[in-house]
Amino acid sequence: MSEQPTRNAAQLTLVAPRRAKPQRHLADLTMAERRAAVAELGEKPFRADQLSRHYFAKLTASPDQMTDLPGETRERLVSQLMPSLLTPVREITCDDGMTRKTLWKLFDGSLVESVLMRYTDRVTMCVSSQAGCGMNCPFCATGQAGLTRNMSTGEIVEQVVAGARALAAGEVPGGPGRVSNIVFMGMGEPMANYKAVIGAVHRLVDPSPEGLGISARGVTVSTVGLVPAIEKLAGEGLPVTLAVSLHAPDDELRDTLVPINTRWKVAEVLGAAWDYAARTKRRVSIEYALIKDINDQEWRADLLGRLLKGKLAHVNLIPLNPTPGSKWTASRPEDERAFVRRLESHGVAVTVRDTRGREIDGACGQLAAASPQS
C-alpha cells in the first residue's frame, strides 16, 4: 500500500509581508523612466542611454570603466541608479565548475540563491523571484522556509547580470560565453510577485541597451497555478514559456502536495494553461516531481496522459531531489520508466529532467538559502 502524505495545515502566503524596499536601480526602470530619472538628477537624458549600454550591453561592473561619462557625473549617476543590490556570500560548484550556485545577501539581510548551468549548447540560469516562498509545498525546501519578502525587478535582473559577467570574463569553464536561457524556478512563486517578475522579463528580453536582448523563447516562467496571473500573463504579448508545477493529476493528492490547489483546482489550472498556449502558440511545460509511492503510480500517469492528450504541452518529469528532514525520495527507476511509458502511450511528449546541481543542493526544490553558519 502506498504511503500517503499528511495534509499540511500551514497557511498559504499570497501577499508578501511589507518590508523596506531596496534602493532604486536602473534595471527597475523602463528606458523612458531612466531618462526621466537622469533628468531629475540634473543630467541630460542621453546619459541614461550611456548608463544602460554599460550595464546591459558591456556588462560594466565598475564606474572606472565608464570613461565616456565625466567623473563627477559618473559617480553621482552610478550611486543613484546602479547601487549594489546583491552581495555574494558563498559560491559552490560541481560538474567540473559548469554548475555554480551562488548565495546572495540582499540589502536587508535576506538570503536568496541562483544557479548557473553551462551545457555544450546553452547556458541556463535559474533565478529567484522572492526571498523564501509562501506556497508551502511540503516536498520543497524553499516552500518549507516560508516567505520573507518579494524581490524587486532590479534584484531579479542582477542575478542574471552577475552570471553574464562571470561568463563574459571566462570565469566559467568553457571560455567566454553568454546567458541564453532563464528559468524562474529558483526561490519563490514568480506569479505571486507578478509586477516585478514581468519587469524583469522585459529587462531580460528587450534589445540592448534597453535590456539584455535574450530571446523571449529562452525564458521560462514557472507557477504552481495562480490562475488569474496565468490569464494576465497570456495578455502580455511576451512569448515566454509557461511552466506549470502540477505534481499530481488529481485534486485529492494535489490539495496536499501543492496547497494552492485548494484555491484553483487541476481543471482550472490546466484550462488557464491551454488558453495561454492558444494565445501565445507556445507549448506549456508541465512540471511533475516523481515521489516514491506518492504520485508515481501508473494509474496517475494514465490520468495525466488523458488530461494532456492532444494539448500543446510537454511533461518535464523531475526525480525528487532530497531535502533535509524529508521522508520522501525519488521514485524507483523502474517506476519512473513505467510512468514515462504510460504518458507516451497517450501521445504525450515527456522527458526526465537532468538533476544538475543535486550534490550542491542546487537542483529543483532544494534551494533554501541557508546561511554559512547553518
Side-chain angles (χ1 to χ4, degrees):
M1 186 173 178
S2 66
E3 177 187 1
Q4 291 298 311
T6 55
R7 181 175 297 277
N8 196 320
Q11 294 293 312
L12 289 164
T13 308
L14 291 172
V15 178
R18 296 183 69 87
R19 299 288 177 94
K21 295 182 179 180
Q23 188 176 344
R24 179 180 63 171
H25 191 282
L26 185 80
D28 290 312
L29 309 174
T30 64
M31 183 60 87
E33 290 169 339
R34 293 171 212 167
R35 290 172 181 147
V38 166
E40 288 172 9
L41 294 171
E43 297 292 339
K44 298 292 186 183
F46 77 87
R47 296 295 186 196
D49 298 62
Q50 290 177 300
L51 278 180
S52 298
R53 193 165 289 107
H54 279 295
Y55 184 74
F56 287 108
K58 298 181 179 179
L59 303 173
T60 306
S62 169
D64 295 337
Q65 298 171 287
M66 303 179 189
T67 53
D68 56 338
L69 280 83
E72 185 178 329
T73 297
R74 178 194 318 164
E75 294 298 330
R76 183 168 66 256
L77 291 181
V78 168
S79 67
Q80 292 297 312
L81 292 173
M82 290 177 64
S84 176
L85 298 179
L86 307 178
T87 302
V89 175
R90 179 180 60 221
E91 185 173 277
I92 310 174
T93 65
C94 63
D95 302 314
D96 297 320
M98 305 286 265
T99 300
R100 294 163 43 124
K101 182 177 81 165
T102 305
L103 174 67
W104 303 101
K105 183 167 72 173
L106 308 182
F107 83 100
D108 57 357
S110 299
L111 298 171
V112 299
E113 293 179 322
S114 62
V115 184
L116 183 152
M117 295 162 282
R118 187 170 200 165
Y119 301 88
T120 55
D121 60 340
R122 68 192 186 281
V123 177
T124 297
M125 283 206 65
C126 179
V127 299
S128 294
S129 56
Q130 295 179 310
C133 183
M135 297 298 102
N136 196 37
C137 298
F139 57 89
C140 175
T142 313
Q144 291 308 289
L147 177 61
T148 299
R149 70 167 173 87
N150 284 334
M151 295 176 68
S152 69
T153 290
E155 289 171 327
I156 297 169
V157 173
E158 275 275 80
Q159 297 169 76
V160 181
V161 171
R165 285 172 177 160
L167 284 162
E171 296 173 10
V172 181
R178 62 185 299 273
V179 177
S180 57
N181 297 74
I182 307 293
V183 292
F184 282 81
M185 295 181 178
M187 300 177 68
E189 162 55 48
M191 295 293 197
N193 188 17
Y194 188 89
K195 184 178 179 181
V197 166
I198 292 302
V201 171
H202 277 290
R203 304 305 169 266
L204 297 175
V205 306
D206 286 351
S208 175
E210 292 185 38
L212 287 169
I214 297 170
S215 170
R217 293 177 178 272
V219 176
T220 298
V221 178
S222 175
T223 180
V224 292
L226 276 64
V227 168
I230 295 173
E231 294 169 344
K232 191 173 181 181
L233 182 64
E236 293 284 354
L238 289 165
V240 299
T241 297
L242 173 69
V244 175
S245 297
L246 196 67
H247 305 310
D250 55 305
D251 288 323
E252 183 180 7
L253 178 59
R254 195 170 190 265
D255 281 352
T256 300
L257 290 183
V258 188
I260 198 69
N261 202 73
T262 59
R263 297 256 184 132
W264 295 288
K265 299 299 185 181
V266 170
E268 295 173 271
V269 173
L270 291 181
W274 307 149
D275 179 64
Y276 183 88
R279 296 178 68 177
T280 63
K281 305 298 188 287
R282 299 288 291 148
R283 185 171 68 168
V284 174
S285 180
I286 302 296
E287 310 290 303
Y288 197 104
L290 281 172
I291 310 172
K292 178 183 174 183
D293 295 332
I294 299 294
N295 67 349
D296 61 355
Q297 301 88 350
E298 287 191 55
W299 71 264
R300 279 199 165 93
D302 278 323
L303 176 54
L304 182 61
R306 290 193 294 272
L307 290 173
L308 305 187
K309 185 178 180 66
K311 301 297 185 181
L312 193 59
H314 171 271
V315 176
N316 196 7
L317 291 178
I318 309 161
L320 185 74
N321 293 302
T323 57
S326 175
K327 61 182 179 179
W328 296 340
T329 188
S331 299
R332 304 172 190 87
E334 60 269 27
D335 292 337
E336 178 185 291
R337 290 191 294 269
F339 205 93
V340 169
R341 284 195 302 271
R342 296 311 306 157
L343 287 175
E344 290 177 338
S345 74
H346 292 275
V348 174
V350 56
T351 55
V352 178
R353 182 187 287 179
D354 174 19
T355 55
R356 273 285 194 107
R358 175 180 284 185
E359 55 269 56
I360 57 171
D361 291 337
C364 182
Q366 291 186 311
L367 299 188
S371 64
Q373 291 77 29
S374 65

